[in-house]
Amino acid sequence: MAAPRTGSPSAAPALPTLGGKKSSYRERVADALRAALVAGELRPGEVYSAPTLAARFGVSATPVREAMLDLAKEGLVDTVPNKGFRVTAVSEKQLDEYTHIRSLIEIPTTAELARSADRVSLEALRPAAREIVSAAAAGDLIAYVEADTRFHLGLLALAGNAHLVEVVGDLRKRSRLYGLTALVEAGRLLASAQEHLELLDALLDGDEEAVRKVMTRHLGHVRGLWAAPGEDDRHVGRR
């Protein structure tokens, strides 16, 4: 299945497989739905029925319903009896807090990898970095978020701390990148996507300071270029 492009919500996305692991179909549907939430393709406050989402993603309603129940347990959506699921709003304050915690964890951890990670493990992440660039060029936001998650969690995993990866993974699920659509339309997302290759090259060069600078700039986009909520999103986020 081809992933939906910005501005064509009726197309069905290819279901992602995060981190190269073998997942159940239900887990893959949940991954795709999470990516759609993070990318802002599923809007806060909106109610979505399982059949509607199933048609959009090109799958049957049952795995969508099961996956949305999983997301409800994670606090990403609320169940609406006899209607479906309402996307949980995230306030500006919450997004600031998530990004702050991520910067405290990800910047020093990634910088340390410039000295500790081996070249083979780092090079193994290059396909994911290229997928991010390709998704940005195609305006495929769900594929962009999925590949971005796979790249960064895979990178952090090289530090050997599974709990750290779990914490960052949870923060990423809760974040919202409402500005991605506008960046695609303005042709500016590609430049941000290419930072992943820049980061990888700095790591392979063993340049810890360069890695720190790229990561600081990169995470800054989360509450800058990549956030940029519209007026409706700001209103919902303050409820």
Side-chain angles (χ1 to χ4, degrees):
M1 306 175 234
R5 303 298 187 256
T6 301
S8 57
S10 61
L15 299 178
T17 302
L18 294 181
K21 68 180 182 180
K22 291 184 178 179
S23 305
S24 69
Y25 197 70
R26 171 176 172 170
E27 290 172 330
R28 291 172 61 201
V29 171
D31 287 339
L33 290 168
R34 286 190 194 94
L37 280 168
V38 172
E41 293 202 356
L42 300 182
R43 311 302 290 180
E46 292 289 326
V47 176
Y48 297 91
S49 69
T52 297
L53 288 172
R56 177 172 177 172
F57 282 76
V59 297
S60 63
T62 297
V64 169
R65 188 174 292 107
E66 293 173 343
M68 292 298 277
L69 289 172
D70 290 339
L71 268 57
K73 292 176 183 177
E74 297 172 14
L76 303 181
V77 299
D78 296 319
T79 57
V80 181
N82 302 318
K83 291 187 178 180
F85 302 87
R86 178 182 291 110
V87 176
T88 304
V90 182
S91 70
E92 294 289 302
K93 184 175 186 295
Q94 287 174 309
L95 291 173
D96 287 339
E97 290 173 348
Y98 298 158
T99 306
H100 180 60
I101 296 170
R102 285 185 58 188
S103 67
L104 292 175
I105 296 173
E106 293 187 64
I107 294 173
T109 301
T110 305
E112 169 65 24
L113 291 174
R115 291 188 285 114
S116 63
D118 65 88
R119 295 185 65 85
V120 173
S121 297
L122 289 171
E123 279 292 355
L125 293 169
R126 193 171 294 278
R130 288 174 175 157
E131 285 179 42
I132 297 169
V133 174
S134 297
D140 187 338
L141 298 186
I142 292 179
Y144 182 95
V145 171
E146 187 276 328
D148 181 70
T149 298
R150 180 152 37 89
F151 175 85
H152 284 287
L153 296 188
L155 185 59
L156 291 173
L158 299 182
N161 187 329
H163 294 292
L164 180 151
V165 176
E166 182 178 355
V167 168
V168 173
D170 182 67
L171 291 170
R172 292 179 67 93
K173 292 175 189 175
R174 297 178 184 280
S175 297
R176 298 291 184 269
L177 304 175
Y178 298 131
L180 292 184
T181 298
L183 286 177
V184 169
E185 292 172 350
R188 298 173 61 195
L189 186 59
L190 188 58
S192 296
Q194 289 170 336
E195 288 179 344
H196 297 84
L197 293 169
E198 182 184 353
L199 175 62
L200 192 56
D201 289 340
L203 284 162
L204 287 163
D205 288 341
D207 191 337
E208 189 171 351
E209 185 57 31
V211 170
R212 189 178 298 275
K213 288 180 179 178
V214 176
M215 275 301 298
T216 300
R217 182 192 342 133
H218 192 66
L219 277 178
H221 297 329
V222 175
R223 293 301 293 127
L225 290 174
W226 297 351
E231 291 302 320
D232 290 343
D233 297 322
R234 291 191 185 99
H235 180 70
V236 171
R238 287 173 179 158
R239 286 180 185 173

